[in-house]
Amino acid sequence: PFSASEEMRSTWQGKAGRSPLQALYESDQFEQSSLQAVHQQRREMLSNICSRYTRKRRLLQPDDLRHLVVDDTHGLLYCYVPKVACTNWKRVMMVLTGQGKYRDPLGIPAHEAHVPSNLRTLSEYSVPEINYRLRSYLKFVFVREPFERLVSAYRNKFTLSYNTAFHKRYGTKIIRRHRQEPSDRALERGDDVRFEEFVYYLLDPRTQQEEPFNEHWERVHSLCHPCIIHYDVVGKYETLAEDANYILQLVGADTSVKFPASSKTTRTTDDMTAQFFQDISPFYQRRLFNLYKMDYLLFNYSIPSYLRIR
């Protein structure tokens, strides 16, 4: 385990009591911009919520660091969160760390971006190396409205015919437990899970007793530990392009490296998310909100207007 208190205190302060970000702020390279103010506010919000809700500081374990991708060339740590532009960020990290092997992020096939050996994670380093990187690298994470992310994960994993691995692994179990009188076909294939059944599965106490949530619907605070690891930049899906460019600029990435523009065609939107929640009773809406409440608080998302839980 890593000494969170000492290491994390120095993480936040960096060399000579300054974070890497503050050092950059103070250099002539950056004028005080409205974007800096936005990120300052996000960090302060995060810090306030953490101090209010986390009483006991626990130590980081190597397992906690599996989502932190390392770029030793630019001194960058990125905690990836599935369904928050993580494929494109992994592509960009491959360009940044690839020593010229890759030039265009979109030239990298999506499946290639998720091959574990293509990027190193912090869990693969020794304890002194981990502590050094946590202290001195620029750390960032991208977040998204929690229920929009959840519906996006459901649509991707349970409604697309090619995701047979998810249907077999999770769909069959969800249908067996949460559908009355399921057909033999549904039990065997698990490819027609309804959103309501997915919600029951998430709220079933047995689910997390048996194994941790899959990373596609695990809470961001459980994947990235923002109350132990002090992130310099909290990017948001809603301001993806600006935040991505800001980070690339902060680490002095080559100006030819551009974050890919997102395709808006199949994107899960707020309106679409509202439709999925229409058939979920207020009782289950409230319970599901409580499950994801810390992500709402930490990243300053308001309770969705379509929920009937007031």
Side-chain angles (χ1 to χ4, degrees), residues 57-68:
R57 294 290 289 272
R58 72 173 186 79
L59 298 182
L60 282 168
Q61 305 296 327
D63 208 40
D64 295 328
L65 307 173
R66 286 178 307 124
H67 274 248
L68 281 157

Side-chain angles (χ1 to χ4, degrees), residues 2 34 40 88 96 116 139 166 191-192 238 292 307:
F2 314 104
S34 58
Q40 178 69 28
N88 278 344
L96 293 175
K139 299 168 289 298
F166 265 79
D191 62 355
D192 64 344
E238 296 77 15
Y292 288 88
L307 289 187

Side-chain angles (χ1 to χ4, degrees), residues 101-119:
K101 185 178 168 189
Y102 309 99
R103 300 218 175 273
D104 173 22
L106 285 179
I108 302 169
H111 67 87
E112 190 86 356
H114 297 290
V115 174
S117 58
N118 283 335
L119 290 165

Side-chain angles (χ1 to χ4, degrees), residues 257-297:
V257 181
K258 297 274 185 274
F259 191 84
S262 63
S263 64
K264 294 280 189 276
T265 45
T266 58
R267 222 198 90 172
T268 303
T269 60
D270 187 58
D271 290 348
M272 196 185 288
T273 304
Q275 288 174 346
F276 277 89
F277 275 86
Q278 269 177 347
D279 299 331
I280 307 296
S281 74
F283 174 76
Y284 284 107
Q285 286 185 5
R286 176 174 285 286
R287 288 188 57 204
L288 195 68
F289 179 78
N290 286 337
L291 187 63
Y292 288 88
K293 186 177 178 178
M294 273 308 286
D295 280 0
Y296 273 96
L297 291 169

Side-chain angles (χ1 to χ4, degrees), residues 113-133:
H114 297 290
V115 174
S117 58
N118 283 335
L119 290 165
R120 287 193 75 183
T121 66
L122 198 55
S123 56
E124 298 169 44
Y125 290 76
S126 69
V127 172
E129 288 173 328
I130 288 169
N131 286 333
Y132 169 73
R133 282 160 180 74

Side-chain angles (χ1 to χ4, degrees), residues 8-236:
M8 297 312 146
R9 202 173 304 128
S10 48
T11 302
W12 207 215
Q13 291 167 344
K15 295 182 186 62
R18 296 178 308 170
S19 77
L21 210 56
Q22 281 169 319
L24 277 166
Y25 282 172
E26 288 158 21
S27 72
D28 299 335
Q29 188 178 352
F30 283 100
E31 297 167 10
Q32 286 296 333
S33 68
S34 58
L35 206 48
Q36 282 172 359
V38 165
H39 286 286
Q40 178 69 28
Q41 276 177 323
R42 287 180 192 172
R43 282 200 306 279
E44 284 171 4
M45 178 79 190
L46 191 54
S47 171
N48 290 341
I49 297 292
C50 286
S51 58
R52 198 182 311 167
Y53 286 89
T54 51
R55 284 164 197 77
K56 192 169 176 289
R57 294 290 289 272
R58 72 173 186 79
L59 298 182
L60 282 168
Q61 305 296 327
D63 208 40
D64 295 328
L65 307 173
R66 286 178 307 124
H67 274 248
L68 281 157
V69 175
V70 182
D71 170 8
D72 283 323
T73 313
H74 299 88
L76 197 55
L77 291 177
Y78 159 53
C79 188
Y80 72 88
V81 178
K83 306 314 297 171
V84 192
C86 100
T87 303
N88 278 344
W89 262 117
K90 285 182 176 182
R91 285 167 160 152
V92 169
M93 293 296 279
M94 282 171 73
V95 172
L96 293 175
T97 58
Q99 277 96 40
K101 185 178 168 189
Y102 309 99
R103 300 218 175 273
D104 173 22
L106 285 179
I108 302 169
H111 67 87
E112 190 86 356
H114 297 290
V115 174
S117 58
N118 283 335
L119 290 165
R120 287 193 75 183
T121 66
L122 198 55
S123 56
E124 298 169 44
Y125 290 76
S126 69
V127 172
E129 288 173 328
I130 288 169
N131 286 333
Y132 169 73
R133 282 160 180 74
L134 282 173
R135 235 186 353 257
S136 47
Y137 281 17
L138 186 118
K139 299 168 289 298
F140 75 97
V141 59
F142 267 77
V143 300
R144 182 177 186 177
E145 202 286 326
F147 280 174
E148 199 179 282
R149 176 176 166 247
L150 188 67
V151 167
S152 177
Y154 165 77
R155 289 178 66 215
N156 181 265
K157 298 304 170 195
F158 295 109
T159 69
L160 300 177
S161 56
Y162 63 77
N163 265 324
T164 48
F166 265 79
H167 303 157
K168 278 263 189 271
R169 170 95 170 71
Y170 296 100
T172 52
K173 180 191 279 188
I174 292 171
I175 289 166
R176 189 170 68 250
R177 284 193 174 167
H178 302 290
R179 183 177 299 180
Q180 291 182 328
E181 299 176 13
S183 68
D184 291 344
R185 183 195 175 282
L187 285 170
E188 188 197 343
R189 298 174 68 135
D191 62 355
D192 64 344
V193 170
R194 296 190 281 270
F195 183 66
E196 193 177 18
E197 294 166 336
F198 179 52
V199 169
Y200 296 154
Y201 162 77
L202 294 171
L203 294 171
D204 184 340
R206 291 173 293 184
T207 301
Q208 286 192 85
Q209 282 162 10
E210 288 169 359
E211 59 181 341
F213 274 168
N214 178 278
E215 60 179 17
H216 290 82
W217 45 87
E218 180 59 280
R219 285 71 51 100
V220 177
H221 71 88
S222 300
L223 292 175
C224 294
H225 313 286
C227 291
I228 313 175
I229 297 169
H230 294 295
Y231 289 93
D232 299 296
V233 181
V234 176
K236 293 204 165 184

Side-chain angles (χ1 to χ4, degrees), residues 24 29-30 73-74 96 246-255:
L24 277 166
Q29 188 178 352
F30 283 100
T73 313
H74 299 88
L96 293 175
Y246 179 62
I247 289 159
L248 292 172
Q249 194 187 347
L250 279 178
V251 295
D254 193 293
T255 49

